Amino acid sequence: MPPFTDKGKAVSFGKPGGKGGDAKPAANSKMTMPTNPTAEFKNSMTLPDGTHVAVTTLDGKKSGFKGKVWVWAPKEYDDPKFAKSGFPVMIALPGGAGYPSNYWMGTDLGLQTSISKWYAEGKSKPFILAMPVLNPGPDDKGVYWDGSDIPGQPKMGTWLTEDVPDLMRENFRTIKSRDGWAFMGSSTGGFAGLKAVLKHPDKFKAVIASGPDIVPDSSLWKGHDKEKAENNPELLAKQLIDKKGPEVYLAFQVGDNENNKKTLPDVQKFVATYGKGPVHTSLRVIPGGQHNAKTYVPNMGEGPIQFISKVMEGPVE
């Protein structure tokens, strides 16, 4: 079995038999066809079911940041019976540096195969995955960017919440409303996804946040207290409660053996304080769970993926 023979080859998504991309949705359709399918996707790896993890370099028009985004679509996306269907998108964010790659794009963690398995088991929507770089450079000496637009720094918040979704809408059949858009992430990526949903509840409905930080803690916020507060999940959740919506769904999971002993109590306090009104929360405490993606992926299937999938749409025509 030669697994790397097609690495680097061009990948085209969603045209079963060369026809699927030509279907025209009804005027009242909940889905949207690719608006500008011109991104060049190169195969990064082929999974056993024949699906591809592909990569492109995105020159973010709104953020001004240029970086790599890996994508994956489940095999259902190429099924002719779904040729007129829009699929939900999950933006998957790594922990740590998140640069120059995104560790969810590798198959060793099994995110892609798990989503296919969970969908077959009736637990999950068949999410398309977008896996962008999280940071604009290595997090040397603990410097990272909080997935935010920190003054004077690359606009990573805009990159994640505007440019990456635009790439997906341009190249995939997606869902018009926020009911088809979610984040997931671990550690720093969990914080960035949590904050993105709370800051932009008009665009995103749900997040799975694993072992996340709860408040911004990048050293780059120094001297920018106002902007830091505008990217604080606690303050954003309070605003959402005060405004009485829109409703968001936050699925947390934390190991009870995390290296940072504050992570679990911080998440528990957040859930107790802000898990009310339009802020719907669930918390899975993972017995023996540590602060790593190998802990988080299998446990997503034990509650978190069901929690968000129940409130999300797709595939829809």
Side-chain angles (χ1 to χ4, degrees):
M1 191 168 105
F4 302 114
T5 51
D6 57 355
K7 188 170 184 177
K9 286 189 177 178
V11 175
S12 177
F13 290 94
K15 297 202 174 183
K19 297 176 185 174
D22 301 326
K24 291 287 188 286
N28 62 346
S29 174
K30 292 183 176 182
M31 65 86 76
T32 178
M33 295 296 290
T35 56
N36 182 30
T38 56
E40 292 185 4
F41 292 108
K42 300 294 186 186
N43 193 39
S44 180
M45 63 191 65
T46 301
L47 276 61
D49 66 357
T51 58
H52 302 284
V53 177
V55 63
T56 191
T57 298
L58 171 62
D59 198 345
K61 294 184 182 71
K62 294 174 181 172
S63 67
F65 175 72
K66 186 175 185 177
K68 283 188 165 60
V69 182
W70 288 262
V71 299
W72 173 81
K75 65 181 187 297
E76 288 77 19
Y77 188 81
D78 274 331
D79 188 329
K81 78 176 183 182
F82 289 117
K84 296 181 182 178
S85 297
F87 279 66
V89 174
M90 179 181 282
I91 301 170
L93 304 179
Y99 178 91
S101 63
N102 176 324
Y103 57 54
W104 298 118
M105 49 69 75
T107 54
D108 55 328
L109 296 171
L111 179 60
Q112 294 81 7
T113 52
S114 295
I115 286 174
S116 293
K117 174 175 168 283
W118 296 330
Y119 175 58
E121 294 171 349
K123 293 179 177 179
S124 175
K125 299 296 186 193
F127 291 101
I128 300 171
L129 292 178
M131 299 162 277
V133 296
L134 175 60
N135 289 320
D139 62 346
D140 291 340
K141 299 172 185 166
V143 174
Y144 46 92
W145 287 260
D146 271 355
S148 303
D149 290 4
I150 300 175
Q153 300 294 328
K155 294 183 175 181
M156 301 315 292
T158 298
W159 160 258
L160 295 174
T161 62
E162 298 277 352
D163 290 329
V164 172
D166 283 351
L167 171 75
M168 302 310 285
R169 275 188 285 266
E170 287 168 2
N171 292 279
F172 292 87
R173 303 188 308 277
T174 56
I175 295 172
K176 287 178 183 174
S177 76
R178 72 188 194 111
D179 293 345
W181 294 86
F183 276 87
M184 65 82 67
S186 54
S187 193
T188 309
F191 166 83
L194 171 67
K195 189 259 298 185
V197 172
L198 289 167
K199 191 174 175 70
H200 303 285
D202 55 323
K203 296 177 184 174
F204 307 101
K205 192 170 191 179
V207 62
I208 297 174
S210 303
D213 303 316
I214 291 297
V215 294
D217 61 352
S218 170
S219 58
L220 299 169
W221 287 114
K222 190 173 181 183
H224 304 292
D225 290 349
K226 175 179 176 289
E227 291 85 357
K228 183 178 180 180
E230 290 167 354
N231 288 275
N232 185 327
E234 292 183 337
L235 299 179
L236 292 167
K238 184 180 184 304
Q239 290 169 13
L240 209 52
I241 293 165
D242 291 345
K243 288 191 297 185
K244 298 182 167 55
E247 299 194 359
V248 293
Y249 295 80
L250 317 176
F252 295 97
Q253 52 174 6
V254 185
D256 64 7
N257 194 29
E258 301 248 350
N259 50 3
N260 183 347
K261 300 307 176 190
K262 283 184 80 252
T263 303
L264 181 54
D266 284 354
V267 171
Q268 289 171 324
K269 183 182 176 188
F270 181 94
V271 169
T273 307
Y274 302 106
K276 59 188 177 184
V279 182
H280 303 273
T281 59
S282 76
L283 170 57
R284 174 168 172 74
V285 179
I286 303 166
Q290 298 182 329
H291 190 73
N292 59 55
K294 280 191 165 61
T295 287
Y296 299 140
V297 173
N299 283 281
M300 277 174 60
E302 300 301 319
I305 200 75
Q306 295 97 315
F307 181 75
I308 71 164
S309 292
K310 280 176 185 170
V311 298
M312 296 192 69
E313 289 207 330
V316 292
E317 293 190 11

